[in-house]
Amino acid sequence: MPYVNIKVAGKLTKEQKEKIVEGITKLLEEVANKPPASTYIVIDEVDRENWAKGGKLLSDQ
């Protein structure tokens, strides 16, 4: 049973999320022979002021 956790800075639209989960599910089926019904995907949308790169919050970049 694959479990995939995706963390992104900021918000995604429902359409973006649908494309992401469809693509990842298809990839796992094609490459690893994992049935789509057994693939779990969680998308964590992290507020840009709670994520930093290079010593600066993403909200300030």
Side-chain angles (χ1 to χ4, degrees):
M1 162 179 79
Y3 169 79
V4 179
N5 184 263
I6 301 165
K7 294 185 183 289
V8 296
K11 298 283 185 184
L12 296 171
T13 66
K14 183 177 181 209
E15 292 77 20
Q16 289 171 317
K17 293 175 194 178
E18 288 170 343
K19 287 181 181 181
I20 289 168
V21 299
E22 287 170 8
I24 290 171
T25 301
K26 184 176 180 181
L27 182 66
L28 283 167
E29 180 179 26
E30 292 172 358
V31 174
N33 275 340
K34 299 298 181 183
S38 72
T39 299
Y40 291 84
I41 300 171
V42 175
I43 299 173
D44 292 324
E45 297 172 308
V46 180
D47 190 327
R48 293 180 66 82
E49 79 175 31
N50 293 331
W51 200 321
K53 177 183 174 192
K56 295 190 179 194
L57 297 173
L58 292 182
S59 60
D60 294 337
Q61 295 182 14

